[in-house]
Amino acid sequence: MKQERLAVIGVGLIGVRHAELIRAHEQCALVGLCDVDPNRRAVAERFGVPFYASVEELIERKQPSGVVIATSNDTHAAVAEICARRSVDVLIEKPIASTLEQAQRIVHTAQECGIQVLVGHHRRHNPLVQKVRELIGDGSLGRLIGVSILWVLLKPDDYFDVGWRRERPGGGPVLINLIHELDSLRFLCGEITEVYARTSSAVRGYAVEDSVSIALHFASGALGTVLASDATPAPWSYEATTGENPAYFRTHENCYTFLGTAASLAFPRMELWRYADGSRQGWKEPMERLAVAVAGADPLTRQLTHFCRVIRGEETPLVDAQDATKSLAVALAVQESARTGLPVNPAMVGAR
Ligand SMILES: NC(=O)c1ccc[n+]([C@@H]2O[C@H](COP(=O)([O-])OP(=O)(O)OC[C@H]3O[C@@H](n4cnc5c(N)ncnc54)[C@H](O)[C@@H]3O)[C@@H](O)[C@H]2O)c1
């Protein structure tokens, strides 16, 4: 099989991981790295590939068939535009951008230049997440009544040494982390039509929030809640419970609960609760807990395989630029609601 020639732009925390995955994957080859920070040259030396400080030069010299854009959120649109004008397909890390204007610029430029955009909401590639979607979709839970999400953990102090992670726009757990949960919620439960949120930065006092609570309303009529904080020593985050990223300590707890009229489901242990005798229901009746079997697989590797297929024209992006823009709109609606104290429809963000 012909290997896709891939490069990574932005070789910080996640960019290095993408470079490792590309190098290990049989369907692609790592042809170069790019970063505006000259100190990142050492990373390229470690990988044994050329280093470029300019995206234009990387593309001109190495002619990649696709690039992974893993730069800070606020720079995604400008970098994507350089790639689009040179007809290079892109995998853009989430969130697609920091603002709706930037995201829409990506949508339009990609259409104009005819490039493919895959956005790195990689959790949609996780077999566990796909199984939840299947169970909700096939009615195994009955009609979905609601979903409850905990995303609580402690980020180490030195995480905030990187300036943009403390600042708006672009920083903060809503745009950096909860964008994952909000995208997954859209993928699993359908479109979100209203959010009401409160945020707090009382622990660290940075410009960005460290804790947030969100009440959600879905187009289906289902309800949802999210409680999130990156400032508490707690075991109930997606990262810690799924073990998806080996860098995190794994706790094997649950972090999401899906509630239906026929059954409920705890994720990611995939514990399905229902009445043992379906004809006798109610709080005095015995319930049973079934373990739903799912074969695990690394979602970032699956996402990369998908990106190679997208480049070859064999598949369309699982998360395209328009889709990711809707997830960004939900995250921005959370911020707007927290700022104004009012409920916000994500389709109307910025209208006030
Ligand atoms: N999918 C995930 O689970 C996941 C995890 C972490 C981060 N992310 C996303 O990945 C992106 C990067 O996050 P990070 O934590 O790795 O950031 P980081 O700050 O560690 O790294 C970003 C790198 O991009 C470089 N850079 C900035 N502007 C550039 C430009 N115009 N051209 C080339 N290089 C440029 C910086 O010098 C830096 O080295 C963000 O969008 C973030 O939200 C995704």
Side-chain angles (χ1 to χ4, degrees):
M1 180 185 294
K2 172 180 161 279
Q3 285 192 317
E4 298 306 328
R5 296 169 54 77
L6 302 187
V8 178
I9 302 170
V11 278
L13 191 69
I14 195 77
V16 170
R17 186 117 184 270
H18 282 294
E20 285 163 356
L21 289 165
I22 292 168
R23 201 173 52 170
H25 201 292
E26 59 184 14
Q27 293 186 30
C28 48
L30 182 67
V31 297
L33 298 178
C34 168
D35 201 298
V36 288
D37 179 355
N39 294 323
R40 307 310 288 167
R41 180 179 290 278
V43 180
E45 283 165 8
R46 210 170 71 231
F47 280 94
V49 296
F51 177 82
Y52 301 93
S54 121
V55 178
E56 290 89 339
E57 195 184 350
L58 164 82
I59 295 175
E60 192 181 313
R61 295 275 180 92
K62 300 313 291 182
Q63 301 284 312
S65 48
V67 300
V68 178
I69 300 175
T71 57
S72 40
N73 299 340
D74 214 24
T75 63
H76 290 179
V79 175
E81 183 158 0
I82 297 171
C83 299
R85 300 275 174 229
R86 288 157 183 79
S87 303
V88 179
D89 294 332
V90 294
L91 192 177
I92 305 178
E93 260 302 347
K94 50 45 63 176
I96 181 168
S98 297
T99 66
L100 283 184
E101 294 72 26
Q102 292 170 356
Q104 278 147 8
R105 197 172 123 208
I106 294 173
V107 171
H108 293 138
T109 313
Q111 277 169 354
E112 202 184 312
C113 301
I115 64 151
Q116 297 290 343
V117 177
L118 172 66
V119 180
H121 286 293
H122 68 272
R123 294 184 187 176
R124 293 201 198 186
H125 300 269
N126 189 318
L128 289 166
V129 173
Q130 293 185 344
K131 188 67 184 178
V132 174
R133 183 172 149 99
E134 186 188 314
L135 292 171
I136 293 174
D138 71 12
S140 297
L141 305 186
R143 182 169 50 79
L144 190 70
I145 296 171
V147 53
S148 173
I149 286 189
L150 266 180
W151 183 85
V152 282
L153 47 59
L154 185 64
K155 285 181 180 167
D157 290 344
D158 63 4
Y159 173 91
F160 296 96
D161 291 348
V162 179
W164 71 267
R165 295 179 182 156
R166 302 189 300 265
E167 293 154 11
R168 292 192 193 284
V174 171
L175 265 189
I176 296 177
N177 309 103
L178 284 192
I179 183 85
H180 279 301
E181 333 294 319
L182 298 170
D183 178 73
S184 295
L185 281 171
R186 289 186 50 243
F187 184 58
L188 297 172
C189 308
E191 290 302 341
I192 294 165
T193 51
E194 188 179 273
V195 306
Y196 176 72
R198 297 296 299 249
T199 56
S200 165
S201 53
V203 179
R204 296 194 189 87
Y206 292 146
V208 296
E209 69 285 349
D210 46 48
S211 305
V212 55
S213 68
I214 313 170
L216 299 155
H217 188 249
F218 293 88
S220 68
L223 303 174
T225 63
V226 179
L227 182 62
S229 177
D230 65 13
T232 175
W236 302 291
S237 66
Y238 176 97
E239 290 85 340
T241 59
T242 60
E244 188 181 276
N245 182 341
Y248 286 74
F249 176 76
R250 189 168 183 186
T251 62
H252 297 277
E253 295 283 328
N254 285 310
C255 59
Y256 301 172
T257 314
F258 298 89
L259 310 167
T261 51
S264 53
L265 178 73
F267 172 94
R269 292 172 62 92
M270 302 302 281
E271 295 163 344
L272 188 102
W273 284 88
R274 65 180 187 192
Y275 283 102
D277 175 352
S279 65
R280 292 166 60 89
Q281 303 201 359
W283 58 21
K284 291 183 181 167
E285 301 300 331
M287 296 192 80
E288 63 182 8
R289 176 172 51 188
L290 304 177
V292 179
V294 183
D298 174 39
L300 279 174
T301 304
R302 294 184 88 202
Q303 175 179 265
L304 183 56
T305 305
H306 175 57
F307 185 44
C308 291
R309 290 188 184 136
V310 167
I311 292 171
R312 290 199 293 271
E314 295 166 7
E315 292 177 1
T316 54
L318 177 62
V319 194
D320 64 20
Q322 270 157 321
D323 197 354
T325 300
K326 288 185 183 168
S327 294
L328 173 65
V330 179
L332 296 176
V334 168
Q335 292 182 332
E336 184 173 316
S337 175
R339 202 172 53 246
T340 60
L342 298 169
V344 177
N345 178 343
M348 303 294 288
V349 166
R352 246 182 268 275

